[in-house]
Amino acid sequence: MQIREIMRSCPVMPVLVIEKVEHAVPLAQALVDGGIRVLEVTLRTDAALAAVRAIVDNVPGAIVGVGTVVRPEQFAQAKAAGAVFAVTPGLTPTLAAAARAAKIELLPGVMTPSEAIAALEEGFDALKLFPAEQAGSMGMLKAMGGPLPQILFCPTGGVSPESAPKLLAMPNVGCVGGSWLAPKEMVAAGDWAGITALARAAAAFAK
Ligand code: 3PG
């Protein structure tokens, strides 16, 4: 599955921080039950790669990727754990080469027109705008859409249930990313029904 198809599979890509591997499967199942199939498991915790493997093996229908990739060796590790895509907060030639070598779909982060053009030169035209809110959100996306209409964005960082529908209405936005679908307290409390409700609301956003 190519990255644009993954982006089209879900209006909201949840950014997940999984501290305990035993949370991975019920959390992913709760999101999938609510209609959110694309899951970004950030590599910010020791449990992250084991969480990816557990979700891939136990949650049918989930499209599992990793996020917060900042080192080249992490692409192969993510692929070995079963991830089908990776998200980075920024892009360097080293990361681009490593993603290609690992044969994993990449959604690279950019924040400026020069970074977007550099990503195009590396062969990527589906990009994460990060951090979206700080970059100017809708104003920035509209401005980038003039000279760079070929880029499809996933704005992430500061996106909320209030701003998501407006962002999704923009022609150069394919999906949005956000952490609000899996609040730390709800995960810690095992409030899976509550997370399914959040997912259902987000899955209803049109693209
Ligand atoms: C992150 O870095 O955690 C993601 O960009 C999500 O940001 P958010 O918490 O503002 O949704």
Side-chain angles (χ1 to χ4, degrees):
M1 202 182 242
Q2 292 191 329
I3 196 66
R4 281 189 179 232
E5 192 182 346
I6 292 170
M7 291 166 80
R8 275 196 297 271
S9 303
C10 233
V12 182
M13 189 183 297
V15 176
L16 306 177
V17 180
I18 302 178
E19 301 282 354
K20 294 186 177 166
V21 70
E22 58 267 31
H23 288 156
V25 170
L27 170 61
Q29 190 65 57
L31 291 163
V32 170
D33 288 348
I36 297 289
R37 300 167 55 216
V38 178
L39 310 175
E40 177 191 334
V41 179
T42 58
L43 299 184
R44 296 181 200 177
T45 64
D46 292 342
L49 286 173
V52 168
R53 173 47 65 197
I55 297 167
V56 169
D57 287 347
N58 295 287
V59 184
I63 301 168
V64 188
V66 294
T68 322
V69 175
V70 292
R71 295 196 311 274
E73 67 272 17
Q74 291 174 312
F75 292 110
Q77 292 166 355
K79 176 118 179 180
V84 294
F85 71 96
V87 185
T88 62
L91 187 64
T92 65
T94 308
L95 287 177
R100 270 194 296 272
K103 295 192 169 33
I104 191 165
E105 287 294 306
L106 179 60
L107 181 66
V110 301
M111 194 184 171
T112 67
S114 290
E115 291 170 9
I117 292 167
L120 287 174
E121 288 178 358
E122 290 282 3
F124 302 103
D125 63 4
L127 308 176
K128 162 171 150 166
L129 177 67
F130 178 80
E133 169 109 348
Q134 291 81 353
S137 199
M138 292 179 68
M140 183 60 148
L141 288 158
K142 189 158 184 277
M144 291 258 226
L148 300 168
Q150 69 273 51
I151 296 177
L152 190 66
F153 285 101
C154 172
T156 305
V159 179
S160 67
E162 291 71 40
S163 63
K166 292 176 218 153
L167 288 162
L168 287 162
M170 302 189 72
N172 58 345
V173 171
C175 65
V176 302
S179 62
W180 82 87
L181 293 186
K184 206 175 174 181
E185 312 72 46
M186 288 173 85
V187 174
D191 183 3
W192 311 126
I195 288 174
T196 295
L198 291 174
R200 196 164 284 131
F205 294 152
K207 176 56 220 176

